[in-house]
Amino acid sequence: MSKRKAQLRTFAEMLAAVPREPAPDPVTDEPARAGRRDDGTMADPAGRVYTCVRETVSATAALAAAAAGAVVVWDPCGCGGGCGFRWLGEAETARLVASGPPRIRCNKRRNGNISLWRSADGTVLLLAEDAVFWGDVLA
């Protein structure tokens, strides 16, 4: 056997020489992220998960929910969150309530909607999509 042939190792021998480390544990839960999730739920920036209760609510019902302390989220282009959501703070929500009910517009080109979501702890979320105009905050 030639000297060169004696220096060559098989692939199996090379693998056997590599130190082995344990594989990381697989991720079992969907990572917490704000916005719509693959399972149809919605998560806020704090990780609270909401389930849709009503696909469409009236302007009067939206005003009542916001006045009662609902979290308000705006999807300005109506893309379902692909461009991101705007999560309104308490001060902005108070301005919404002070301005009266929202105007929800639906026509050939735009389809405004407000849906109602609820978390397991009872927190309510309003999702305003596309052509929803509410005071000077959602315009």
Side-chain angles (χ1 to χ4, degrees):
M1 181 182 278
S2 73
K3 186 176 177 184
R4 178 162 161 69
K5 187 121 180 150
Q7 291 176 346
L8 294 178
R9 297 185 302 173
T10 66
F11 185 69
E13 291 170 331
M14 287 188 271
L15 282 179
V18 175
R20 297 180 190 209
E21 295 180 20
D25 291 332
V27 176
T28 56
D29 294 330
E30 184 175 345
R33 60 177 168 80
R36 289 197 186 210
R37 296 167 34 147
D38 292 341
D39 63 1
T41 59
M42 172 87 80
D44 67 14
R48 182 182 291 126
V49 178
Y50 299 84
T51 304
C52 187
V53 176
R54 300 223 26 197
E55 291 286 332
T56 300
V57 295
S58 68
T60 306
L63 177 61
V71 174
V72 180
V73 181
W74 190 28
D75 176 7
C77 67
C79 71
C83 299
F85 291 107
R86 181 166 169 228
W87 297 83
L88 278 61
E90 290 179 18
E92 289 175 308
T93 301
R95 286 181 23 219
L96 294 179
V97 172
S99 70
R103 290 178 296 126
I104 305 167
R105 298 288 181 240
C106 295
N107 57 34
K108 289 182 193 178
R109 295 173 43 192
R110 299 188 70 191
N111 189 21
N113 186 55
I114 300 178
S115 55
L116 183 88
W117 302 66
R118 189 177 313 273
S119 70
D121 68 1
T123 304
V124 174
L125 178 139
L126 292 172
L127 174 59
E129 299 172 280
D130 197 8
V132 175
F133 306 95
W134 201 345
D136 64 345
V137 180
L138 305 186

